[in-house]
Amino acid sequence: MGFEELLEQVGGFGPFQLRNVALLALPRVLLPLHFLLPIFLAAVPAHRCALPGAPANFSHQDVWLEAHLPREPDGTLSSCLRFAYPQALPNTTLGEERQSRGELEDEPATVPCSQGWEYDHSEFSSTIATEWDLVCEQKGLNRAASTFFFAGVLVGAVAFGYLSDRFGRRRLLLVAYVSTLVLGLASAASVSYVMFAITRTLTGSALAGFTIIVMPLGEAELEWLDVEHRTVAGVLSSTFWTGGVMLLALVGYLIRDWRWLLLAVTLPCAPGILSLWWVPESARWLLTQGHVKEAHRYLLHCARLNGRPVCEDSFSQEAVSKVAAGERVVRRPSYLDLFRTPRLRHISLCCVVVWFGVNFSYYGLSLDVSGLGLNVYQTQLLFGAVELPSKLLVYLSVRYAGRRLTQAGTLLGTALAFGTRLLVSSDMKSWSTVLAVMGKAFSEAAFTTAYLFTSELYPTVLRQTGMGLTALVGRLGGSLAPLAALLDGVWLSLPKLTYGGIALLAAGTALLLPETRQAQLPETIQDVERKSAPTSLQEEEMPMKQVQN
């Protein structure tokens, strides 16, 4: 008897599993609150050079600014430069003073803002950009803060993946909660950019524990579900991410100071720590570690909550011990196993490209909410709301059009949304908003499809390892997405062209993968290698899952 048979006896889906979904909903909501927090935390409001001596009379300020600030090619006043000397303007005292000094009128000299900046606080009372003047020459540090965070997530995912196998899912979930709480509070209390960057990077590493253990159907929950009901639980759990995306718009609207905003999305970890009292340890992990008595206790508790009568003779500790012996002999595969055979190597390389493109385009679009017809709060709310119908469309598309075409089509739609925005004039903000929302819908659909498609491509013995590798590369794409936005210094349209180009490359790569619709899921590496075409067997659905970033 194997673990699946044990799970069938105690109930693979019932009140026990639904309670787990509810208990693990909090970290699923917290993840988008932190992953997409830079939209508000690092927002750059309108700003200009600080100019001492500006007139108090508001009606004279426009003339004053015109004399002290050069104009950009689009006609707006410069945010990063000022004239070395006030410029002469027609019919002004300033112009007469310039002429009396005999200063030249052509090509006036400009200098950086040596006395700091003045910011428009109508939308944000404080952000890290206004706190430490991360604008103009320092704007790269503002974007780098997001990259540091996602780099921390990448490193933390590797660490938590190893440690959760060694010390258990429940203990590591406690570590993730406590670390996120402590480091989040430290970030909110940062006295310098360096301190903030370090603490946010470490916060990303702590949050990676949530991505491994609970997102989207992490180890703490997946190992208590039978295969038949993982699709339902996967769809249910993925909606919590969408709820967090929309909740961020509300929290950001109500709290305009970055320190209090960071506290607001961090403090919910405190009740999360208390909820761990009711979160069960993975019985499968306990069996692999030889903790038969504790595993037996959890399994009996599961059976009681699910209303399953269990015969003590057939479900004794001796019977569970035999299952534990079988679980311990299974060797844990490594990433190298994904590249040992030709067909599996082809699948792995293609999936790596697809996952990089999915994450790179998703976070490139999600973190850039400027230049649209709506304010940042309305845009964030709309970006979250559009994720719900996109999940439904994916569920229908993968059943009828297939996984491969859905994956390629959603990535192609994302690329076309980026490309079409390049052709839209900056004055046509309504069209730009429509295209951005369509792009967000396609990118979210591509994310959802990637989890389903990838899980069906790998054999059972390597499925978790394959998903781990692709998610790791995906996080690399997410960490590079904020930096790509700095390419606007080379050419204003280059960031969107880069995001769209990578999405297009990923779409083409997805077409090189085999179709898995109505195909029997492979169990071993040999099943993958000898499969030349998908066979029309009974369709098996795998979890529709989502991670974000």
Side-chain angles (χ1 to χ4, degrees):
M1 182 171 61
F3 183 78
E4 311 303 344
E5 286 76 12
L6 278 180
L7 195 58
E8 185 178 352
Q9 289 187 34
V10 300
F13 188 75
F16 180 83
Q17 284 77 10
L18 290 175
R19 189 189 69 170
N20 288 349
V21 171
L23 289 172
L24 298 178
L26 179 59
R28 290 190 175 100
V29 174
L30 288 177
L31 280 173
L33 292 178
H34 278 275
F35 278 38
L36 302 179
L37 189 61
I39 295 172
F40 305 104
L41 186 82
V44 181
H47 55 281
R48 61 174 174 80
C49 295
L51 301 171
N57 190 336
F58 185 78
S59 61
H60 294 166
Q61 284 188 4
D62 290 341
V63 177
W64 172 268
L65 294 177
E66 187 77 23
H68 286 78
L69 300 177
R71 288 193 176 274
E72 300 290 348
D74 61 0
T76 59
L77 293 174
S78 176
S79 300
C80 300
L81 297 173
R82 61 185 293 268
F83 289 123
Y85 301 99
Q87 296 304 293
L89 296 176
N91 304 321
T92 62
T93 305
L94 204 59
E96 296 174 359
E97 292 176 357
R98 286 286 319 274
Q99 290 178 355
S100 66
R101 291 199 298 266
E103 296 175 0
L104 297 176
E105 297 295 329
D106 55 336
E107 298 184 4
T110 58
V111 293
C113 303
S114 58
Q115 296 178 303
W117 287 263
E118 293 182 2
Y119 298 93
D120 178 9
H121 294 288
S122 60
E123 195 166 28
F124 303 98
S125 62
S126 175
T127 70
I128 64 169
T130 63
E131 180 88 8
W132 294 302
D133 287 334
L134 304 181
V135 295
C136 301
E137 293 89 350
Q138 302 296 319
K139 70 177 182 179
L141 294 178
N142 193 14
R143 295 288 185 179
S146 297
T147 296
F148 294 151
F149 173 81
F150 283 108
V153 174
L154 190 153
V155 174
V158 177
F160 272 96
Y162 170 77
L163 293 175
S164 65
D165 284 337
R166 185 177 179 88
F167 299 106
R169 285 62 163 129
R170 194 163 175 260
R171 291 178 183 174
L172 267 295
L173 190 55
L174 175 62
V175 171
Y177 266 129
V178 174
S179 301
T180 300
L181 179 60
V182 172
L183 292 168
L185 295 177
S187 296
S190 296
V191 296
S192 67
Y193 173 78
V194 173
M195 178 180 175
F196 175 81
I198 293 174
T199 53
R200 278 297 284 172
T201 302
L202 295 175
T203 303
S205 299
L207 287 165
F210 295 150
T211 68
I212 294 297
I213 300 171
V214 301
M215 273 296 293
L217 270 180
E219 295 164 339
E221 184 179 330
L222 182 64
E223 293 170 349
W224 278 107
L225 283 165
D226 57 21
V227 176
E228 181 182 357
H229 292 94
R230 287 178 186 174
T231 298
V232 177
V235 172
L236 177 62
S237 63
S238 67
T239 59
F240 292 118
W241 171 279
T242 300
V245 174
M246 292 189 288
L247 181 62
L248 178 60
L250 175 61
V251 176
Y253 178 78
L254 296 175
I255 305 175
R256 306 295 180 96
D257 182 275
W258 74 269
R259 295 183 187 272
W260 289 106
L261 179 61
L262 190 52
L263 282 175
V265 300
T266 300
L267 290 177
C269 288
I273 295 173
L274 298 178
S275 71
L276 289 179
W277 178 264
W278 296 277
V279 174
E281 180 57 90
S282 166
R284 170 166 274 167
W285 178 82
L286 290 171
L287 293 177
T288 62
Q289 302 300 308
H291 303 308
V292 177
K293 185 176 181 180
E294 189 175 359
H296 185 254
R297 178 170 58 85
Y298 275 121
L299 288 166
L300 288 177
H301 182 56
C302 175
R304 283 195 297 270
L305 283 183
N306 288 340
R308 290 292 187 91
V310 176
C311 179
E312 289 294 335
D313 294 334
S314 61
F315 202 72
S316 61
Q317 284 197 30
E318 290 73 16
V320 176
S321 297
K322 293 179 181 179
V323 176
E327 291 289 328
R328 285 198 297 270
V329 299
V330 177
R331 180 184 70 89
R332 180 176 176 84
S334 68
Y335 288 153
L336 293 178
D337 294 325
L338 301 173
F339 299 93
R340 295 190 190 280
T341 57
R343 188 173 179 83
L344 201 54
R345 182 165 53 246
H346 170 82
I347 289 174
S348 298
L349 291 174
C350 290
C351 285
V352 161
V353 175
V354 169
W355 272 75
F356 183 91
V358 166
N359 280 262
F360 187 75
S361 57
Y362 178 87
Y363 286 107
L365 183 60
S366 298
L367 295 176
D368 181 17
V369 294
S370 60
L372 303 178
L374 305 174
N375 63 40
V376 63
Y377 309 104
Q378 294 170 330
T379 302
Q380 179 62 22
L381 181 62
L382 189 58
F383 274 10
V386 78
E387 290 191 2
L388 289 175
S390 68
K391 292 179 188 295
L392 177 61
L393 290 176
V394 166
Y395 183 74
L396 297 174
S397 179
V398 295
R399 292 176 66 89
Y400 298 104
R403 280 69 161 148
R404 180 175 59 181
L405 290 180
T406 300
Q407 184 71 80
T410 53
L411 283 167
L412 179 61
T414 305
L416 290 176
F418 277 114
T420 309
R421 285 184 68 186
L422 295 176
L423 304 177
V424 174
S425 170
S426 58
D427 298 330
M428 303 172 65
K429 293 187 180 296
S430 59
W431 280 104
S432 183
T433 302
V434 170
L435 290 170
V437 171
M438 290 178 60
K440 181 60 187 297
F442 278 120
S443 65
E444 165 61 26
F447 227 134
T448 304
T449 307
Y451 268 97
L452 171 66
F453 193 20
T454 307
S455 66
E456 294 180 338
L457 287 168
Y458 285 109
T460 301
V461 295
L462 289 174
R463 188 162 293 131
Q464 289 300 108
T465 305
M467 294 296 293
L469 174 66
T470 53
L472 186 67
V473 176
R475 293 182 186 102
L476 177 62
S479 66
L480 294 178
L483 290 183
L486 296 176
L487 295 174
D488 62 355
V490 179
W491 179 33
L492 191 60
S493 301
L494 191 54
K496 292 183 178 64
L497 191 62
T498 304
Y499 295 132
I502 296 296
L504 185 62
L505 174 63
T509 305
L511 293 174
L512 301 177
L513 290 167
E515 178 58 70
T516 60
R517 185 172 70 98
Q518 293 185 338
Q520 184 178 16
L521 296 183
E523 295 290 333
T524 66
I525 296 176
Q526 290 74 19
D527 291 342
V528 174
E529 293 303 315
R530 62 170 171 258
K531 184 190 294 185
S532 58
T535 56
S536 297
L537 298 176
Q538 182 180 3
E539 182 174 359
E540 295 183 47
E541 294 292 337
M542 290 298 293
M544 304 246 334
K545 313 186 265 186
Q546 154 149 5
V547 167
Q548 302 341 305
N549 346 44

PDB file of all heavy atoms in Angstrom, residues 45-54 61 65 79 113 115-121 130 133:
ATOM      1  N   PRO A  45       6.515  60.702  -8.108  1.00  0.00           N
ATOM      2  CA  PRO A  45       5.563  61.761  -8.453  1.00  0.00           C
ATOM      3  C   PRO A  45       6.223  62.837  -9.302  1.00  0.00           C
ATOM      4  O   PRO A  45       7.452  62.848  -9.485  1.00  0.00           O
ATOM      5  CB  PRO A  45       5.151  62.300  -7.084  1.00  0.00           C
ATOM      6  CG  PRO A  45       6.321  62.016  -6.202  1.00  0.00           C
ATOM      7  CD  PRO A  45       6.931  60.739  -6.702  1.00  0.00           C
ATOM      8  N   ALA A  46       5.428  63.732  -9.830  1.00  0.00           N
ATOM      9  CA  ALA A  46       5.969  64.858 -10.594  1.00  0.00           C
ATOM     10  C   ALA A  46       6.930  65.656  -9.707  1.00  0.00           C
ATOM     11  O   ALA A  46       6.657  65.883  -8.527  1.00  0.00           O
ATOM     12  CB  ALA A  46       4.831  65.738 -11.086  1.00  0.00           C
ATOM     13  N   HIS A  47       8.040  66.062 -10.270  1.00  0.00           N
ATOM     14  CA  HIS A  47       9.049  66.755  -9.480  1.00  0.00           C
ATOM     15  C   HIS A  47       9.813  67.743 -10.350  1.00  0.00           C
ATOM     16  O   HIS A  47       9.790  67.661 -11.582  1.00  0.00           O
ATOM     17  CB  HIS A  47      10.028  65.762  -8.849  1.00  0.00           C
ATOM     18  CG  HIS A  47      10.681  64.844  -9.851  1.00  0.00           C
ATOM     19  ND1 HIS A  47      10.042  63.742 -10.368  1.00  0.00           N
ATOM     20  CD2 HIS A  47      11.915  64.877 -10.434  1.00  0.00           C
ATOM     21  CE1 HIS A  47      10.838  63.123 -11.214  1.00  0.00           C
ATOM     22  NE2 HIS A  47      11.980  63.793 -11.272  1.00  0.00           N
ATOM     23  N   ARG A  48      10.486  68.674  -9.709  1.00  0.00           N
ATOM     24  CA  ARG A  48      11.344  69.648 -10.383  1.00  0.00           C
ATOM     25  C   ARG A  48      12.428  70.085  -9.425  1.00  0.00           C
ATOM     26  O   ARG A  48      12.377  69.801  -8.221  1.00  0.00           O
ATOM     27  CB  ARG A  48      10.532  70.851 -10.853  1.00  0.00           C
ATOM     28  CG  ARG A  48       9.844  71.612  -9.735  1.00  0.00           C
ATOM     29  CD  ARG A  48       9.178  72.869 -10.251  1.00  0.00           C
ATOM     30  NE  ARG A  48       8.394  73.559  -9.239  1.00  0.00           N
ATOM     31  CZ  ARG A  48       8.895  74.360  -8.317  1.00  0.00           C
ATOM     32  NH1 ARG A  48      10.228  74.565  -8.246  1.00  0.00           N
ATOM     33  NH2 ARG A  48       8.121  74.966  -7.447  1.00  0.00           N
ATOM     34  N   CYS A  49      13.412  70.753  -9.956  1.00  0.00           N
ATOM     35  CA  CYS A  49      14.507  71.243  -9.113  1.00  0.00           C
ATOM     36  C   CYS A  49      13.987  72.202  -8.046  1.00  0.00           C
ATOM     37  O   CYS A  49      13.082  73.017  -8.310  1.00  0.00           O
ATOM     38  CB  CYS A  49      15.538  71.974  -9.963  1.00  0.00           C
ATOM     39  SG  CYS A  49      16.416  70.932 -11.160  1.00  0.00           S
ATOM     40  N   ALA A  50      14.535  72.075  -6.852  1.00  0.00           N
ATOM     41  CA  ALA A  50      14.203  73.034  -5.801  1.00  0.00           C
ATOM     42  C   ALA A  50      14.812  74.384  -6.163  1.00  0.00           C
ATOM     43  O   ALA A  50      16.012  74.483  -6.457  1.00  0.00           O
ATOM     44  CB  ALA A  50      14.731  72.545  -4.456  1.00  0.00           C
ATOM     45  N   LEU A  51      13.994  75.422  -6.140  1.00  0.00           N
ATOM     46  CA  LEU A  51      14.437  76.758  -6.540  1.00  0.00           C
ATOM     47  C   LEU A  51      14.165  77.725  -5.407  1.00  0.00           C
ATOM     48  O   LEU A  51      13.033  78.214  -5.253  1.00  0.00           O
ATOM     49  CB  LEU A  51      13.697  77.212  -7.807  1.00  0.00           C
ATOM     50  CG  LEU A  51      13.862  76.311  -9.046  1.00  0.00           C
ATOM     51  CD1 LEU A  51      12.921  76.737 -10.148  1.00  0.00           C
ATOM     52  CD2 LEU A  51      15.305  76.346  -9.526  1.00  0.00           C
ATOM     53  N   PRO A  52      15.172  78.007  -4.582  1.00  0.00           N
ATOM     54  CA  PRO A  52      14.974  78.953  -3.485  1.00  0.00           C
ATOM     55  C   PRO A  52      14.593  80.331  -4.025  1.00  0.00           C
ATOM     56  O   PRO A  52      15.062  80.765  -5.085  1.00  0.00           O
ATOM     57  CB  PRO A  52      16.338  78.983  -2.790  1.00  0.00           C
ATOM     58  CG  PRO A  52      17.006  77.706  -3.212  1.00  0.00           C
ATOM     59  CD  PRO A  52      16.503  77.428  -4.590  1.00  0.00           C
ATOM     60  N   GLY A  53      13.729  81.004  -3.293  1.00  0.00           N
ATOM     61  CA  GLY A  53      13.343  82.350  -3.681  1.00  0.00           C
ATOM     62  C   GLY A  53      12.169  82.422  -4.620  1.00  0.00           C
ATOM     63  O   GLY A  53      11.929  83.470  -5.237  1.00  0.00           O
ATOM     64  N   ALA A  54      11.450  81.323  -4.781  1.00  0.00           N
ATOM     65  CA  ALA A  54      10.287  81.325  -5.663  1.00  0.00           C
ATOM     66  C   ALA A  54       9.240  82.282  -5.119  1.00  0.00           C
ATOM     67  O   ALA A  54       9.048  82.388  -3.903  1.00  0.00           O
ATOM     68  CB  ALA A  54       9.708  79.923  -5.783  1.00  0.00           C
ATOM     69  N   GLN A  61       4.247  82.273 -10.467  1.00  0.00           N
ATOM     70  CA  GLN A  61       5.111  81.108 -10.423  1.00  0.00           C
ATOM     71  C   GLN A  61       5.401  80.548 -11.807  1.00  0.00           C
ATOM     72  O   GLN A  61       6.513  80.086 -12.071  1.00  0.00           O
ATOM     73  CB  GLN A  61       4.488  80.028  -9.536  1.00  0.00           C
ATOM     74  CG  GLN A  61       4.622  80.310  -8.045  1.00  0.00           C
ATOM     75  CD  GLN A  61       4.172  79.141  -7.196  1.00  0.00           C
ATOM     76  OE1 GLN A  61       3.818  78.090  -7.716  1.00  0.00           O
ATOM     77  NE2 GLN A  61       4.193  79.330  -5.878  1.00  0.00           N
ATOM     78  N   LEU A  65       9.128  79.796 -13.084  1.00  0.00           N
ATOM     79  CA  LEU A  65       9.606  78.480 -13.498  1.00  0.00           C
ATOM     80  C   LEU A  65      10.090  78.508 -14.939  1.00  0.00           C
ATOM     81  O   LEU A  65      11.083  77.855 -15.281  1.00  0.00           O
ATOM     82  CB  LEU A  65       8.492  77.438 -13.340  1.00  0.00           C
ATOM     83  CG  LEU A  65       8.040  77.151 -11.905  1.00  0.00           C
ATOM     84  CD1 LEU A  65       6.880  76.154 -11.901  1.00  0.00           C
ATOM     85  CD2 LEU A  65       9.191  76.602 -11.074  1.00  0.00           C
ATOM     86  N   SER A  79      12.476  67.960 -15.311  1.00  0.00           N
ATOM     87  CA  SER A  79      12.433  67.487 -13.931  1.00  0.00           C
ATOM     88  C   SER A  79      13.819  67.353 -13.323  1.00  0.00           C
ATOM     89  O   SER A  79      13.940  67.217 -12.104  1.00  0.00           O
ATOM     90  CB  SER A  79      11.731  66.122 -13.857  1.00  0.00           C
ATOM     91  OG  SER A  79      10.413  66.196 -14.334  1.00  0.00           O
ATOM     92  N   CYS A 113      20.181  69.505 -10.637  1.00  0.00           N
ATOM     93  CA  CYS A 113      19.515  70.089  -9.470  1.00  0.00           C
ATOM     94  C   CYS A 113      20.426  69.948  -8.253  1.00  0.00           C
ATOM     95  O   CYS A 113      20.414  68.912  -7.573  1.00  0.00           O
ATOM     96  CB  CYS A 113      18.173  69.404  -9.218  1.00  0.00           C
ATOM     97  SG  CYS A 113      17.034  69.461 -10.630  1.00  0.00           S
ATOM     98  N   GLN A 115      20.361  71.608  -5.432  1.00  0.00           N
ATOM     99  CA  GLN A 115      19.732  71.882  -4.143  1.00  0.00           C
ATOM    100  C   GLN A 115      18.532  70.975  -3.875  1.00  0.00           C
ATOM    101  O   GLN A 115      17.675  71.299  -3.070  1.00  0.00           O
ATOM    102  CB  GLN A 115      19.313  73.352  -4.070  1.00  0.00           C
ATOM    103  CG  GLN A 115      20.506  74.302  -4.112  1.00  0.00           C
ATOM    104  CD  GLN A 115      20.065  75.747  -4.079  1.00  0.00           C
ATOM    105  OE1 GLN A 115      19.305  76.183  -4.930  1.00  0.00           O
ATOM    106  NE2 GLN A 115      20.543  76.482  -3.084  1.00  0.00           N
ATOM    107  N   GLY A 116      18.515  69.829  -4.560  1.00  0.00           N
ATOM    108  CA  GLY A 116      17.438  68.883  -4.318  1.00  0.00           C
ATOM    109  C   GLY A 116      16.240  69.103  -5.218  1.00  0.00           C
ATOM    110  O   GLY A 116      16.321  69.836  -6.213  1.00  0.00           O
ATOM    111  N   TRP A 117      15.124  68.486  -4.852  1.00  0.00           N
ATOM    112  CA  TRP A 117      13.927  68.525  -5.683  1.00  0.00           C
ATOM    113  C   TRP A 117      12.709  68.876  -4.848  1.00  0.00           C
ATOM    114  O   TRP A 117      12.687  68.683  -3.628  1.00  0.00           O
ATOM    115  CB  TRP A 117      13.675  67.153  -6.336  1.00  0.00           C
ATOM    116  CG  TRP A 117      14.613  66.821  -7.442  1.00  0.00           C
ATOM    117  CD1 TRP A 117      14.400  66.972  -8.791  1.00  0.00           C
ATOM    118  CD2 TRP A 117      15.926  66.262  -7.334  1.00  0.00           C
ATOM    119  NE1 TRP A 117      15.488  66.557  -9.512  1.00  0.00           N
ATOM    120  CE2 TRP A 117      16.446  66.103  -8.636  1.00  0.00           C
ATOM    121  CE3 TRP A 117      16.725  65.877  -6.253  1.00  0.00           C
ATOM    122  CZ2 TRP A 117      17.701  65.586  -8.891  1.00  0.00           C
ATOM    123  CZ3 TRP A 117      17.988  65.370  -6.490  1.00  0.00           C
ATOM    124  CH2 TRP A 117      18.468  65.222  -7.809  1.00  0.00           C
ATOM    125  N   GLU A 118      11.714  69.393  -5.522  1.00  0.00           N
ATOM    126  CA  GLU A 118      10.397  69.602  -4.937  1.00  0.00           C
ATOM    127  C   GLU A 118       9.435  68.643  -5.621  1.00  0.00           C
ATOM    128  O   GLU A 118       9.447  68.510  -6.850  1.00  0.00           O
ATOM    129  CB  GLU A 118       9.943  71.052  -5.120  1.00  0.00           C
ATOM    130  CG  GLU A 118      10.783  72.050  -4.336  1.00  0.00           C
ATOM    131  CD  GLU A 118      10.274  73.476  -4.503  1.00  0.00           C
ATOM    132  OE1 GLU A 118       9.242  73.644  -5.209  1.00  0.00           O
ATOM    133  OE2 GLU A 118      10.900  74.391  -3.966  1.00  0.00           O
ATOM    134  N   TYR A 119       8.593  67.979  -4.808  1.00  0.00           N
ATOM    135  CA  TYR A 119       7.719  66.925  -5.326  1.00  0.00           C
ATOM    136  C   TYR A 119       6.251  67.306  -5.195  1.00  0.00           C
ATOM    137  O   TYR A 119       5.858  68.057  -4.295  1.00  0.00           O
ATOM    138  CB  TYR A 119       7.968  65.616  -4.568  1.00  0.00           C
ATOM    139  CG  TYR A 119       9.364  65.076  -4.704  1.00  0.00           C
ATOM    140  CD1 TYR A 119      10.349  65.397  -3.767  1.00  0.00           C
ATOM    141  CD2 TYR A 119       9.714  64.260  -5.769  1.00  0.00           C
ATOM    142  CE1 TYR A 119      11.640  64.900  -3.887  1.00  0.00           C
ATOM    143  CE2 TYR A 119      11.003  63.756  -5.900  1.00  0.00           C
ATOM    144  CZ  TYR A 119      11.957  64.089  -4.957  1.00  0.00           C
ATOM    145  OH  TYR A 119      13.236  63.603  -5.088  1.00  0.00           O
ATOM    146  N   ASP A 120       5.477  66.765  -6.104  1.00  0.00           N
ATOM    147  CA  ASP A 120       4.029  66.920  -6.050  1.00  0.00           C
ATOM    148  C   ASP A 120       3.470  65.861  -5.095  1.00  0.00           C
ATOM    149  O   ASP A 120       3.550  64.664  -5.364  1.00  0.00           O
ATOM    150  CB  ASP A 120       3.440  66.741  -7.458  1.00  0.00           C
ATOM    151  CG  ASP A 120       1.919  66.842  -7.465  1.00  0.00           C
ATOM    152  OD1 ASP A 120       1.344  67.223  -6.425  1.00  0.00           O
ATOM    153  OD2 ASP A 120       1.301  66.534  -8.505  1.00  0.00           O
ATOM    154  N   HIS A 121       2.917  66.294  -3.979  1.00  0.00           N
ATOM    155  CA  HIS A 121       2.419  65.379  -2.952  1.00  0.00           C
ATOM    156  C   HIS A 121       0.908  65.185  -3.026  1.00  0.00           C
ATOM    157  O   HIS A 121       0.306  64.689  -2.061  1.00  0.00           O
ATOM    158  CB  HIS A 121       2.807  65.894  -1.563  1.00  0.00           C
ATOM    159  CG  HIS A 121       4.289  65.897  -1.307  1.00  0.00           C
ATOM    160  ND1 HIS A 121       5.011  64.742  -1.105  1.00  0.00           N
ATOM    161  CD2 HIS A 121       5.177  66.930  -1.235  1.00  0.00           C
ATOM    162  CE1 HIS A 121       6.293  65.053  -0.906  1.00  0.00           C
ATOM    163  NE2 HIS A 121       6.422  66.365  -0.983  1.00  0.00           N
ATOM    164  N   THR A 130      10.851  59.963  -3.012  1.00  0.00           N
ATOM    165  CA  THR A 130      10.870  61.295  -2.412  1.00  0.00           C
ATOM    166  C   THR A 130      11.683  61.318  -1.119  1.00  0.00           C
ATOM    167  O   THR A 130      12.221  62.350  -0.740  1.00  0.00           O
ATOM    168  CB  THR A 130       9.434  61.772  -2.120  1.00  0.00           C
ATOM    169  OG1 THR A 130       8.827  60.902  -1.149  1.00  0.00           O
ATOM    170  CG2 THR A 130       8.600  61.748  -3.384  1.00  0.00           C
ATOM    171  N   ASP A 133      15.442  60.949  -2.638  1.00  0.00           N
ATOM    172  CA  ASP A 133      15.689  61.606  -3.934  1.00  0.00           C
ATOM    173  C   ASP A 133      16.198  60.614  -4.987  1.00  0.00           C
ATOM    174  O   ASP A 133      17.222  60.835  -5.653  1.00  0.00           O
ATOM    175  CB  ASP A 133      16.696  62.755  -3.764  1.00  0.00           C
ATOM    176  CG  ASP A 133      16.088  63.950  -3.051  1.00  0.00           C
ATOM    177  OD1 ASP A 133      14.853  64.122  -3.130  1.00  0.00           O
ATOM    178  OD2 ASP A 133      16.838  64.719  -2.427  1.00  0.00           O
TER     179      ASP A 133
END
